[in-house]
């Protein structure tokens, strides 16, 4: 009996061991199943994340391509607008140039028909050197340029201008379009073209100052570059022909300005005298006209400016 009990105990222990073993195996199986589920879940999650990342990257690439396309389109549109604006500006510029040219031509033609007359006396060019004649040709160019810009231009004459002279050749060589200048170029002398009573010969050696620039008068400028060669040449010529002479009112409106060389001169180039006459016609002020036309290097300054410097 005692043996039977022992067998029974052994059987129970064996059964308990088997149950535990089965339980362990079950638990291990369950753990394996859970591990598989976790792995499957993780794998699925990774796949989802990969798909999501790919979608995000694809969308980002598409967005970047659209953005780049928009930038390129905006750049092209900006360049197109800029080119259109440039084209319009070119058209306006060309139109403006044509309009200005037409207005200038109209003014000069009106001046030739009824404007105040001004002659450059070129009868003394034979006493000048080649260099001085070239300088005179340059002064004629500047004189004509000022007349083109003027709101009230003069009717300009170049008298005693011979076609076979060196001056004529220099004017053609140095002055582009000289043959198309809207001025009168003649071999005749001014004394033969106009009544002597209408003439005022401007020379710095005259004692009488010019007061007005009247439209019914003819103003004569002596075409000399360096009057120091033969002093009072234009003055003497005008006196011999018994015409009225006058000087610019430099003494009346200007004073000498001190300078290191103590240099003071009233001798002006013909284009400078012409500029003074134009400015006076526009402003009616000798102070403004002389200030605009007399270079500071001549050693003179308008008296009001001199007083301002002293104060």
């Amino acid at each position: 009996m005692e043996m039977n009990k022992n067998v029974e105990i052994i059987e129970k222990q064996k059964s308990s061991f088997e149950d535990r073993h089965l339980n362990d195996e079950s638990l291990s199986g369950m753990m394996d199943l859970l591990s598989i589920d976790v792995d499957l879940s993780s794998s699925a999650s990774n796949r989802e994340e990969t798909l999501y990342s790919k979608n995000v990257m694809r969308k980002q690439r598409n967005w970047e391509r659209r953005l780049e396309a928009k930038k390129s389109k905006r750049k092209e549109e900006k360049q197109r607008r800029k080119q259109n604006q440039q084209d319009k500006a070119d058209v306006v510029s060309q139109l403006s140039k044509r309009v200005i040219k037409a207005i200038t031509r109209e003014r000069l033609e009106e001046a030739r028909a009824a404007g105040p007359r001004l002659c450059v006396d070129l009868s003394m060019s034979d006493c000048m050197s080649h260099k001085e004649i070239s300088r005179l040709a340059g002064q004629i160019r500047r004189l004509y340029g000022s007349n083109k810009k003027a709101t009230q231009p003069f009717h300009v004459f170049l008298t005693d201008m011979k076609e076979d002279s060196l001056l004529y050749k220099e004017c053609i060589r140095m002055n582009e379009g000289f043959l198309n200048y809207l001025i009168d170029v003649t071999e005749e002398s001014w004394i033969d073209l106009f009544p002597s009573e209408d003439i005022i010969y401007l020379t710095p050696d005259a004692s009488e100052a010019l007061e007005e620039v009247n439209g019914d008068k003819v103003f004569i400028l002596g075409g000399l570059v360096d009057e120091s060669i033969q002093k009072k040449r234009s003055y003497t010529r005008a006196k011999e022909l018994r015409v009225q002479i006058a000087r610019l009112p430099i003494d009346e409106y200007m004073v000498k300005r001190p300078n290191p060389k103590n240099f003071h001169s009233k001798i002006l180039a013909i284009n400078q005298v012409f500029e003074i006459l134009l400015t006076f016609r526009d402003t009616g002020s000798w102070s403004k006209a002389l200030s605009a036309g007399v270079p500071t290097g001549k050693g003179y300054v308008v008296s009001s400016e001199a007083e301002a410097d002293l104060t």
Side-chain angles (χ1 to χ4, degrees), residues 144-157:
Y144 182 67
S146 295
N147 205 41
K148 283 176 63 178
K149 296 176 184 177
T151 55
Q152 301 182 75
F154 280 83
H155 180 186
V156 176
F157 295 80

Side-chain angles (χ1 to χ4, degrees), residues 100-110 180 182:
I100 291 172
K101 189 174 181 179
I103 292 173
T104 299
R105 186 177 186 85
E106 183 179 357
R107 284 177 178 169
L108 291 174
E109 292 289 7
E110 289 176 354
N180 296 319
L182 294 177

Side-chain angles (χ1 to χ4, degrees), residues 7-27:
V7 169
E8 224 175 90
I9 290 170
I10 291 170
E11 289 294 335
K12 285 181 180 181
Q13 289 176 345
K14 183 180 179 181
S15 176
S16 175
F17 175 78
E18 288 176 350
D19 289 342
R20 284 197 302 272
H21 181 70
L22 288 173
N23 287 338
D24 289 343
E25 287 181 351
S26 298
L27 181 60

Side-chain angles (χ1 to χ4, degrees), residues 67-93:
L67 183 62
E68 189 63 29
K70 287 181 180 179
K71 286 182 179 179
S72 178
K73 187 176 181 180
R74 284 197 299 268
K75 186 176 180 180
E76 291 175 0
E77 181 65 20
K78 185 177 180 180
Q79 290 176 343
R80 188 182 64 79
R81 287 198 302 268
K82 185 176 180 180
Q83 185 61 46
N84 288 340
Q85 290 174 353
Q86 184 62 45
D87 292 342
K88 289 179 181 178
D90 291 342
V91 171
V92 171
S93 177

Side-chain angles (χ1 to χ4, degrees), residues 135-168:
R135 289 174 58 193
L136 179 58
Q139 292 176 14
I140 290 172
R141 180 183 66 251
R142 289 188 286 274
L143 183 151
Y144 182 67
S146 295
N147 205 41
K148 283 176 63 178
K149 296 176 184 177
T151 55
Q152 301 182 75
F154 280 83
H155 180 186
V156 176
F157 295 80
L158 300 182
T159 60
D160 289 280
M161 172 71 95
K162 296 176 175 56
E163 290 190 6
D164 60 349
S165 66
L166 176 60
L167 178 59
Y168 187 83

Side-chain angles (χ1 to χ4, degrees), residues 203-215:
T203 169
D205 300 305
S207 57
E208 183 181 348
L210 183 66
E211 296 180 358
E212 295 291 338
V213 182
N214 297 322

Side-chain angles (χ1 to χ4, degrees), residues 201-230:
Y201 205 113
L202 295 176
T203 169
D205 300 305
S207 57
E208 183 181 348
L210 183 66
E211 296 180 358
E212 295 291 338
V213 182
N214 297 322
D216 57 348
K217 294 293 183 180
V218 182
F219 298 92
I220 312 294
L221 305 182
L224 281 171
V225 169
D226 192 351
E227 292 191 25
S228 64
I229 296 175
Q230 295 184 11

